[in-house]
């Protein structure tokens, strides 16, 4: 010890520690500031729309702001929900195949292909949806309407261009499939070997091992991946979409912004604020689902 | 429900690498057999061939025979899943399923293969298995609490309860006390003495005092050098191995003059 007797040695401050702590504090504050700035900006621009004459908000002349935004909000949540419903089982199954069933060499090749697919810009999927999927899916919709028309949900008329919320959901599902799969694969790969062996040693078949060890371990990761994947994907894809049925908020903003002025811009901003709130609520819900069984997560 | 294990001319491979060569061993029912030896000598690898969990590593395989009361575990058409139901295993680190409660952990093996079990039978089985693992009194008021919330020693006894709940013929233990404190270790050792009345127990341990305290028979494994296969050097009564072994190599190892 170099300190003289009676003197308490001063803790030495190292440059690296100092830089690291400052940088991380700065980064933490920055993200809060950005988030607050977005919230303030949206709120400020939205306020006029809440108090304006609803008929001026959009060319469709809604009766109130909520009548204007509610179908859009519903469209957003519904399209996202349908897309998850379609893609989640596929992603989980593909990821399980790659991590648990495929021989190692095949799994590696599969992994590369999925990563490449995940790197395809979402705009490409959106275009494909409009140019290829929407026209070719019309016969299917016509058939559904003919065969199941007696159920009110499926009664006609069929959208002639096929650009419905279901088409949108399918495009969205295909778009998020590779990235969801890549993330699920990553999560499943992290399953502790100890738990896999515990299940197998009890006499579990491969599928039982997946059920007892891999899936429970991966559940929080799957939920997080689903949340993470959806938000950016919707915003980009629906810019290209226009439909007769409930549209999504992101598509509505992207489509109408260039042609809007005055109070209509405020209305679009207000719908953006609603999207912001929806996203936060969904994320809180996801966190709550993950945390509800925190004691059983194995983190302790 | 205790069975004899015989390994006959067993060679164990990882891919093309021969890890353990020519093991011949006759393990008696209702006894504790300890496997000792330096790290990397193949004793754990050998243990893991006895319930065919060795082969889950890609490329891992064996040749030779392992007989369980005369039936070859590696015979054609033998389902490794069924082998693992007869030969249970407790691992080096306690590994209760983190997403399951204490009770669900005990029943995990029983509920596999779509087996249905009535609630009262399940409750009885949970109690008898936890009693069998000397854990019942500590957890009987919190059976629905997460298994991962117990202490290390309790978790390991929970894993033993889970293993014996499926009523295996053999219980394999791969260094079951190496992550535990001395008091928990003692609890597990006492438990092993209870368990040997009903099961054939094979334990791998790095702790030679433990081997001499708990086991009836001891097998000493060694390797000639890195990259060479492990061999079973000597296999005899524990008392003989620790007092008067036949081989000089064994003598050197147990007396600490190894290397």
């Amino acid at each position: 010890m170099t300190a003289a007797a009676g003197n308490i040695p001063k803790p030495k401050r190292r440059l690296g520690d100092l830089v690291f702590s400052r940088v991380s504090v700065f980064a933490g504050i920055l993200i809060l500031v950005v988030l607050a700035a977005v919230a303030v900006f949206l709120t400020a621009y939205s306020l006029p729309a809440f108090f304006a004459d609803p008929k001026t908000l959009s060319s469709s002349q809604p009766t109130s702001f909520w009548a204007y935004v509610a179908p859009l909000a519903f469209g957003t949540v519904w399209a996202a929900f349908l897309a998850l419903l379609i893609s989640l089982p596929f992603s989980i199954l593909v990821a399980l195949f790659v991590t648990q069933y495929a021989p190692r060499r095949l799994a590696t090749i599969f992994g590369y292909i999925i990563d490449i697919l995940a790197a395809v810009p979402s705009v490409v999927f959106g275009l494909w949806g409009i140019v290829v999927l929407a026209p070719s899916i019309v016969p299917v919709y016509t058939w559904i309407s003919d065969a199941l028309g007696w159920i009110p949900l499926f009664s006609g008329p069929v959208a002639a261009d096929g650009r419905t919320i279901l088409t949108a959901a399918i495009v969205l599902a295909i778009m998020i499939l590779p990235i969801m799969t890549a993330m699920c694969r990553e999560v499943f790969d992290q399953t502790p070997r100890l738990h896999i062996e515990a299940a197998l040693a009890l006499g579990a078949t491969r599928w039982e091992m997946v059920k007892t060890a891999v899936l429970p371990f991966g559940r929080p990761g799957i939920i997080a991946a689903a949340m993470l994947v959806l938000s950016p994907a919707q915003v980009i894809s629906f810019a290209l979409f226009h439909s007769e049925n409930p549209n999504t908020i992101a598509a509505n903003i992207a489509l109408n912004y260039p042609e809007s002025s005055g109070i209509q811009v405020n209305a679009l901003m207000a719908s953006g604020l609603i999207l912001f709130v929806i996203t936060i609520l969904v994320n809180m819900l996801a966190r709550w689902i993950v945390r509800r069984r925190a004691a059983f997560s194995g983190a302790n | 429900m205790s069975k004899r294990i015989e390994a006959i001319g067993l060679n164990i491979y990882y891919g093309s690498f021969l890890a353990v060569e020519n093991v011949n061993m006759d393990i008696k029912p209702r006894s504790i057999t300890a496997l000792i030896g330096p790290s990397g000598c193949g004793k754990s690898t050998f243990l893991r061939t006895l319930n065919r969990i060795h082969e889950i590593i890609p490329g891992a395989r064996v040749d030779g025979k392992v007989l369980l009361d005369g039936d070859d575990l590696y015979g054609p058409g033998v389902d490794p899943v069924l082998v693992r139901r007869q030969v249970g295993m407790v691992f080096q680190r306690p590994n209760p399923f983190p997403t399951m409660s204490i009770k669900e952990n005990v029943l995990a093996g029983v509920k596999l293969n779509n087996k249905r079990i009535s609630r009262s039978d399940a409750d009885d089985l949970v109690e008898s298995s936890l009693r069998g693992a000397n854990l019942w009194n500590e957890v009987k008021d919190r059976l629905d609490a997460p298994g991962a919330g117990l202490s290390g020693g309790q978790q390991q006894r929970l894993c033993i309860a889970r293993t014996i709940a499926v009523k295996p013929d053999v219980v394999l233990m791969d260094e079951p006390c190496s992550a535990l404190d001395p008091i928990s270790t003692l609890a597990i050792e006492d438990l092993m003495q209870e368990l040997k009345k009903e099961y054939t127990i094979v334990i791998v341990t790095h702790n030679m005092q433990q081997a001499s305290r708990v086991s009836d028979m001891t097998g000493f494994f060694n390797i000639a050098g890195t990259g060479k296969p492990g061999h079973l050097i000597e296999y005899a009564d524990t008392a003989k191995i620790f007092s008067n072994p036949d081989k000089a190599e064994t003598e050197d190892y147990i007396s600490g003059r190894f290397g």
Side-chain angles (χ1 to χ4, degrees), chain A residues 194 197 200 203 208 293 296, chain B residues 48 84-85 95 98-99 113:
Chain A
L194 223 50
E197 290 190 351
L200 290 176
E208 285 168 337
R293 279 172 65 89
F296 287 90
Chain B
R48 291 165 64 89
R84 293 178 198 136
R85 285 167 178 245
N95 55 357
T99 53
N113 270 4

Side-chain angles (χ1 to χ4, degrees), chain A residues 75-112:
Chain A
T76 303
V77 174
W78 187 233
F81 173 75
L82 285 179
L84 268 188
L85 204 65
I86 297 168
S87 67
L88 204 54
F90 274 107
S91 323
I92 292 175
L93 288 176
V94 173
L96 282 179
F97 171 73
V98 171
T99 55
Q100 311 296 329
Y101 289 88
R104 206 191 299 171
R105 192 174 303 168
L106 187 64
T108 316
I109 297 171
F110 243 82
Y112 282 127

Side-chain angles (χ1 to χ4, degrees), chain A residues 203-295:
Chain A
T205 60
R206 192 84 71 97
W207 164 236
E208 285 168 337
M209 181 276 286
V210 166
K211 262 195 313 188
T212 38
V214 178
L215 287 180
F217 175 82
R219 205 180 64 108
I222 296 170
I223 294 173
M227 293 304 123
L228 211 60
V229 154
L230 264 186
S231 358
Q234 317 195 44
V235 176
I236 303 163
S237 69
F238 289 111
L240 287 165
F241 242 82
H242 177 73
S243 67
E244 305 299 322
N245 284 330
N247 210 327
T248 69
I249 291 176
N252 186 49
I253 294 177
L255 280 169
N256 293 329
Y257 193 83
E259 300 146 23
S260 301
S261 59
I263 194 70
Q264 292 189 349
V265 173
N266 295 122
L268 289 178
M269 287 295 179
S271 67
L273 182 66
I274 303 294
L275 179 61
F276 188 67
V277 172
I278 291 175
T279 311
I280 290 177
L281 287 180
V282 169
N283 274 302
M284 283 168 68
L285 179 73
R287 274 179 179 261
W288 177 76
I289 292 172
V290 171
R291 204 172 336 130
R292 204 166 38 118
R293 279 172 65 89

